[in-house]
Amino acid sequence: MGYIKFDKNQLINLEYSLSKEMIRSNRAGSFSCTTIIGCNTRKYHGLLICPQPTLDNDNHVLLSKVDETVIQHEAEFNIGVNRYPGTYNPKGHKYVRDFIADIIPQVTFRVGGVILSKETMFVTEEEMVLIRYTLLDAHSPTRIRLKPFLAFRSMHRLSKQNIDLETRYDEVPNGIRTRMYAGYSNLYMQFSKKGVEYTHVPDWYKDIEYTQEKERGFEHHEDLYVPGFFEADIKKGESIIFCVSTREVNPGNLS
């Protein structure tokens, strides 16, 4: 049993769940910080925040968040949570069943007959975050779609849509390599599983709102860049690891 645990009744209450935050740091000088349901409420929230020594002495938010979609019978269920002015979209918190933190934080979602767990691991010595998705139960063929939200900016600032963006990407084993701006580290997004499909549809998601910054009287709206999305079939009992890092990895070492 985890030493920190929240149940469904607590997690679907956004006023409660968004007040619970977790932070992890490592020996590489990087850190990861967000709320327990993955909805960012501060400008320094993000899944991979690390130094960029070729630019300045600041930590920079590279990967802000990842939104997931469960697909069955061509029906899509978005289990991410984002705040926009006056609303949340999507409202994936309604699918959250529980949160447990026992070394590795784990969130479990239930969508109809689908039970999916998500574990987020921050690597000790490297600028790398690993997200493991495990399909605990399903009664029909299931696919999962992952949509990465990128920022590539100092943790003290906010990103806005601009013309300096680099939309190019390169294929690497089981994934892609990309970066938003010259001077930044490349960001590698790779999977433990072969055959994951990547669809390149670069787009900006505008006016994502950070409620804690708003309460403090600071600028609180940000535009985040989504280069595209990944899709993969996932079977009952199967785990798929999504690795995001500033270096290329051998996918065979992710299992």
Side-chain angles (χ1 to χ4, degrees), residues 12 33 56 63 67 113 215-216 232:
I12 63 174
C33 182
D56 52 35
L63 177 64
D67 274 8
E215 289 184 9
R216 297 166 64 201

Side-chain angles (χ1 to χ4, degrees), residues 139-207:
H139 304 299
S140 56
T142 305
R143 286 177 67 82
I144 184 171
R145 177 186 300 150
L146 305 184
K147 186 182 295 182
F149 287 69
L150 309 184
F152 278 68
R153 47 86 173 168
S154 165
M155 61 177 283
H156 303 297
R157 302 175 183 173
L158 291 173
S159 173
K160 299 294 181 181
Q161 182 176 3
N162 61 84
I163 61 174
D164 297 319
L165 172 70
E166 295 182 3
T167 60
R168 185 177 65 85
Y169 76 97
D170 299 301
E171 293 184 358
V172 296
N174 293 11
I176 68 166
R177 173 183 66 200
T178 191
R179 69 176 183 180
M180 288 179 66
Y181 308 112
Y184 272 93
S185 301
N186 284 309
L187 194 66
Y188 294 82
M189 294 181 278
Q190 298 173 268
F191 289 82
S192 59
K193 179 176 181 173
K194 295 181 179 180
V196 175
E197 300 171 7
Y198 174 67
T199 302
H200 191 60
V201 281
D203 198 8
W204 288 93
Y205 283 65
K206 300 180 183 179
D207 289 333

Side-chain angles (χ1 to χ4, degrees), residues 12-120:
I12 63 174
N13 180 345
L14 286 177
E15 184 176 355
Y16 179 86
S17 58
L18 292 180
S19 69
K20 308 300 179 185
E21 302 173 53
M22 54 184 179
I23 182 169
R24 293 200 165 189
S25 60
N26 68 12
R27 296 175 185 173
S30 304
F31 72 96
S32 178
C33 182
T34 186
T35 62
I36 59 175
I37 60 169
C39 179
N40 294 336
T41 62
R42 304 180 190 272
K43 62 186 174 186
Y44 58 80
H45 278 173
L47 290 180
L48 184 60
I49 304 168
C50 54
Q52 292 292 294
T54 61
L55 296 176
D56 52 35
N57 293 319
D58 273 342
N59 280 311
H60 287 248
V61 182
L62 300 186
L63 177 64
S64 179
K65 67 191 309 288
V66 178
D67 274 8
E68 301 87 5
T69 301
V70 174
I71 305 169
Q72 271 199 338
H73 303 296
E74 299 184 357
E76 299 181 359
F77 303 90
N78 300 319
I79 59 177
V81 186
N82 292 315
R83 172 72 184 184
Y84 294 92
T87 188
Y88 288 92
N89 183 37
K91 300 177 180 178
H93 60 287
K94 63 186 178 182
Y95 300 117
V96 178
R97 192 173 75 171
D98 60 44
F99 172 95
I100 297 173
D102 189 356
I103 302 179
I104 299 174
Q106 179 184 48
V107 183
T108 304
F109 302 88
R110 179 162 196 151
V111 181
V114 174
I115 301 178
L116 179 76
S117 76
K118 173 184 177 180
E119 299 166 277
T120 305

Side-chain angles (χ1 to χ4, degrees), residues 228-246:
F229 60 87
F230 301 91
E231 273 194 18
D233 293 324
I234 185 169
K235 298 178 181 179
K236 180 178 177 179
E238 182 181 12
S239 293
I240 298 176
I241 296 176
F242 180 41
C243 173
V244 182
S245 176
T246 55

